[in-house]
Structure formats: structure tokens, C-alpha cells
């Protein structure tokens, strides 16, 4: 088990497959100038599958989410998924993606054993999309979403971040669209993980703001505390259900006490939290000839040191050095 001193057990592993991306979302990446990891620094496909095997066979991990950067840019993605699907302790597998290229790959990923996708889309307006991501790819995302639904990568969840002055008026429209399309929408509060270190608590759109905006058009009924469990999203039934909307209030209502996550960066570092300031090097151990049992022990030790919370709202909060795209969201 991956236990920590606060009694939490990590069963949900996020694996970043690359630090690169074909979008440049302002809250995640700089326009230019980010240093990419060099190829030899990245975990190889074999190393990733081995670490997933260690995590599932020896450490109690049951759920694996592939992320990045943009995981669809990783050439070996379908192969990695297929090999993880063949593991004796097969994890449930999902992908967090910006959806670009999913149109071509959704069916093959489903075939390889992927269970679900989360697709990030912040706006229904192509111009706003371009302002937020610095790229003209809105239509590709919509096509990717439809392909995921058609391939059975369901429930298809859509992640949206609201930014002041950009898309903060769109919450009800996004929900109406998601209900119509059969996607499960989740709003994520913007977190201080932007490369400009420009995040400001005062200006951010909070879960409270989002819910108030949604209630101008929909009736929201809480699913109840139990429904949240270790899941970060608090969920509401929309107009009596069965469709739902989620809000991930990482800043204003952090879920650290129930956190069940452990993370691997694309260069093989264990992070206990998005906001951890320390990392533990599993790639070095793998390449130095460590056995599975030794790797598992290093991972356990890293998780034992997990802090109680991210403390974003604490005055002593320090933003991590790496931006979101490099940590793996
Ligand atoms: N490229 C993929 C994507 O966009 O879905 C996967 C990686 S991305 C870092 C994962 C998620 O993190 C996305 O839903 C994105 O919107 C979210 N994200 C990135 N930076 C964020 C920030 N500063 N605050 C909150 N969410 C953020
Ligand atoms: Fe790329 Fe995802 Fe970051 Fe946007 S949020 S820049 S799509 S990694």
C-alpha cells in the first residue's frame, strides 16, 4: 500500500507521458521559452509499463490516468495502454487530454483497453478558445469529443477552467451544451500552477461563483457528501438528474484530507501532490538496476512523506517550480 502519515492510501496514479503540448493554455504554459525534457530524460514505454506493474501488483494502485502535457502526442500511447491492460492486476485506465487528435485515435485507444477520457474544453466560442489556448483548434476538440463518445470511452467528462474576463460568463452555456451532448461537465478552479506565477486569489472564479451562475438557469441538488468520497469533484444533479455537473474546488474547498493520488512525472519522479516541492527519483533507481521490490520501497517512502494539504489558501504557500504541463495535471 501507498500509505502516508495521515492515514491516507493512494490508489489513483497519474502518469504524465510527456511535458509537450500542442496548445498553450495561459493558465498552464508560457507562450514560448519552456525548456522541454530531452528524450533520454523521459521514461521509456517499457519503464512506464514496469512502474504501472509495480504500482498495481505491489502498491495497491487500482486506477491509472495518463496525462501530460498532451498525452496524445506520445507516439507509444496505444501500446502503453494495451500493455497495462494485460497486467495481472489490470487497473482502470483513463486519459486526460485536450482532445486534439482524438478523432483519429479514440477507437484504437478503446480497443487497446482504455476505459474513459476527460477532455478539456473551456469555451464554446472559437475566438475565446484561441485567446485562452493561443491556438486555433476549437473544431478539432469538438470532433475529438464526439469520437470519444462514439468509441464508447464513456462517461466522457469535460474539464473546464473559468478565467476572469475571458470565459467566466459561459458556465450556464457550457452546461446546457454538455447536457445536450451527453458529456459530464466538471468545472475546475484555477490553481496557481501557471508559468508566469500570475495567479491571484482575489481575481479567481470560485466554486461559489460558478454555482451561483449555474443556478440562474438550472436547479442543482447536491449529491451529498458521500458521493464525493475521495473524488475531488463535488457533484450536483441538474434539474433533478440523472445528469450531473461537478465542481473541483481545489482552492476554496480543498479535498486534501481524502486525497488518494500519487503522481509520476514524465521524467520518472514521484510527486505526492500537484503542489509538492519535493520529488523522488524512480527513473534513477530503474536505470541503476533496482529490483521491483526496491522501486516499490522507494515509492512507499516517498508517499510516507506526503504533506497534510496543499495549503494554497495559506499565506506561506509556495508555488511549485514546474508549471502544470510539466508536472502532469
Ligand atoms: N493536455 C491535457 C489536457 O489539457 O487535458 C492534459 C494535461 S492538463 C495539465 C490537465 C488538466 O489540468 C486540464 O483539464 C487543464 O485544464 C487543467 N489545468 C491546467 N492548468 C491548470 C491550472 N493552473 N489550474 C487548474 N487547472 C489547470
Ligand atoms: Fe496543454 Fe493541457 Fe496545459 Fe492546455 S492544459 S497547455 S492542453 S497541457
Amino acid at each position: 500500500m501507498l500509505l502516508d502519515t495521515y492515514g491516507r492510501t493512494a490508489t489513483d496514479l497519474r502518469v504524465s507521458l510527456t511535458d509537450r503540448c500542442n496548445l498553450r493554455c495561459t493558465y498552464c504554459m508560457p507562450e514560448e521559452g519552456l525548456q522541454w525534457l530531452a528524450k533520454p530524460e523521459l521514461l521509456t514505454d517499457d519503464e512506464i509499463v514496469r512502474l504501472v506493474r509495480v504500482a498495481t501488483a505491489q502498491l495497491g494502485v487500482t486506477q491509472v490516468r495518463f496525462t501530460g502535457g498532451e498525452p496524445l502526442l506520445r507516439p507509444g500511447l496505444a501500446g502503453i495502454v494495451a500493455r497495462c491492460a494485460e497486467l495481472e492486476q489490470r487497473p482502470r485506465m483513463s486519459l486526460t487530454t485536450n482532445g486534439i487528435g482524438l478523432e483519429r485515435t479514440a477507437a484504437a485507444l478503446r480497443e487497446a483497453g482504455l476505459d474513459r477520457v476527460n477532455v478539456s474544453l473551456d469555451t464554446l466560442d472559437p475566438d475565446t478558445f484561441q485567446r485562452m489556448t493561443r491556438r486555433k483548434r476549437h473544431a478539432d476538440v469538438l470532433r475529438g469529443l464526439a469520437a470519444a463518445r462514439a468509441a464508447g470511452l464513456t462517461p466522457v467528462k469535460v474539464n473546464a477552467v473559468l478565467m476572469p474576463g475571458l470565459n467566466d460568463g459561459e458556465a450556464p452555456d457550457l452546461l446546457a451544451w454538455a447536457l445536450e451532448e451527453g458529456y459530464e461537465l466538471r468545472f475546475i478552479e484555477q490553481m496557481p500552477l501557471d508559468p508566469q506565477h500570475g495567479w491571484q486569489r482575489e481575481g479567481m472564479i470560485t466554486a461559489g461563483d460558478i454555482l451561483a451562475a449555474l443556478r440562474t438557469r438550472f436547479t442543482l441538488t447536491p449529491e451529498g457528501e458521500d458521493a464525493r468520497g475521495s473524488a475531488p469533484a463535488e457533484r450536483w444533479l441538474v434539474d433533478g438528474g440523472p445528469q450531473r455537473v461537478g465542481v473541483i474546488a481545489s482552492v476554496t474547498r480543498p479535498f486534501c484530507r481524502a486525497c488518494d493520488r500519487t503522481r509520476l512525472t514524465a521524467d520518472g519522479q514521484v510527486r505526492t501532490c500537484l503542489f509538492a516541492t519535493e520529488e523522488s527519483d524512480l527513473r534513477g533507481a530503474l536505470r541503476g538496476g533496482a529490483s521491483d521490490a526496491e522501486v516499490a520501497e522507494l515509492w512507499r517512502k516517498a508517499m510516507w512523506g506526503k504533506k497534510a494539504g496543499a495549503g494554497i489558501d495559506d499565506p506561506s504557500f509556495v508555488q511549485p517550480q514546474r508549471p502544470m504541463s510539466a508536472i502532469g495535471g
Side-chain angles (χ1 to χ4, degrees), residues 18-30 67-71 96-100 120 122 129 132-134 161 324-326 328-329:
T18 175
D19 57 333
R20 296 179 191 235
C21 191
N22 38 16
L23 297 183
R24 292 288 181 278
C25 305
T26 52
Y27 46 71
C28 179
M29 278 179 119
T67 180
E70 177 44 50
T96 303
T97 170
N98 63 28
I100 296 171
S120 304
D122 302 328
F129 183 89
M132 294 185 72
T133 66
R134 304 183 179 111
V161 176
M324 181 68 137
S325 59

Side-chain angles (χ1 to χ4, degrees), residues 13-148:
L13 167 62
R14 307 241 150 170
V15 183
S16 173
L17 297 179
T18 175
D19 57 333
R20 296 179 191 235
C21 191
N22 38 16
L23 297 183
R24 292 288 181 278
C25 305
T26 52
Y27 46 71
C28 179
M29 278 179 119
E31 184 152 22
E32 50 193 29
L34 202 63
Q35 284 283 325
W36 305 123
L37 291 167
K39 182 115 194 275
E41 294 179 73
L42 293 177
L43 291 178
T44 63
D45 293 2
D46 286 350
E47 287 170 336
I48 289 169
V49 175
R50 180 171 170 205
L51 288 174
V52 172
R53 177 163 52 78
V54 169
T56 52
Q58 305 201 20
L59 297 170
V61 163
T62 55
Q63 168 125 336
V64 175
R65 299 174 194 235
F66 297 108
T67 180
E70 177 44 50
L72 291 175
L73 294 181
R74 176 116 187 177
L77 173 63
I80 293 171
V81 170
R83 289 169 68 191
C84 291
E86 280 164 14
L87 294 174
E88 210 163 301
Q89 253 86 35
R90 182 196 190 287
R92 286 191 306 282
M93 283 182 284
S94 62
L95 182 74
T96 303
T97 170
N98 63 28
I100 296 171
L102 201 52
E103 186 185 14
R104 287 191 316 279
T105 49
L109 288 169
R110 178 73 188 144
E111 183 71 15
L114 190 70
D115 295 299
R116 272 201 331 94
V117 288
N118 281 36
V119 178
S120 304
L121 180 66
D122 302 328
T123 173
L124 299 174
D125 176 50
D127 293 332
T128 307
F129 183 89
Q130 194 177 342
R131 273 200 294 280
M132 294 185 72
T133 66
R134 304 183 179 111
R135 297 289 185 273
K136 244 180 156 155
R137 307 296 297 267
H138 190 252
D140 298 83
V141 181
L142 294 181
R143 284 200 297 268
L145 270 162

